[in-house]
Amino acid sequence: IKPEFINDELCKKASETVNDVLALFDDVDISGAASKIISLSDEANKYVNDKAPWSLAKNGDLKGCGQVLYTVLNLMMMMNLY
């Protein structure tokens, strides 16, 4: 993982969500765990919509586009664990 390609705020939220989900699974609170995962997914979706990587690429900002896509792909990897 290249740190310059990661959105720190979103990744921090993802790490917190991982810990919360693990604790909820331990408590057999499946609904609570699902709610946390859906909330993170919604935030990732908002991040993509706000950053509009398609516009960044169209305007020649390939590094910015790559940062958005790299961040979201890493979040999806983390969410895939659950």
Side-chain angles (χ1 to χ4, degrees):
I1 295 175
K2 298 179 181 178
E4 68 270 18
F5 282 96
I6 298 294
N7 177 287
D8 289 335
E9 182 180 324
L10 199 52
C11 287
K12 182 181 176 191
K13 174 70 175 176
S15 293
E16 292 170 359
T17 299
V18 166
N19 292 331
D20 291 345
V21 167
L22 290 173
L24 290 165
F25 278 157
D26 286 343
D27 293 340
V28 193
D29 184 356
I30 305 305
S31 177
S35 178
K36 290 280 186 180
I37 293 167
I38 291 168
S39 177
L40 179 60
S41 178
D42 289 344
E43 287 191 45
N45 188 50
K46 181 180 179 339
Y47 173 76
V48 170
N49 283 331
D50 289 350
K51 297 295 182 182
W54 51 88
S55 293
L56 294 173
K58 183 177 179 181
N59 293 325
D61 184 3
L62 298 181
K63 183 174 181 177
C65 177
Q67 179 179 2
V68 172
L69 296 176
Y70 194 83
T71 299
V72 172
L73 287 173
N74 277 292
L75 287 174
M76 286 193 287
M77 262 186 357
M78 292 177 78
M79 290 190 301
N80 188 43
L81 299 174
Y82 306 103

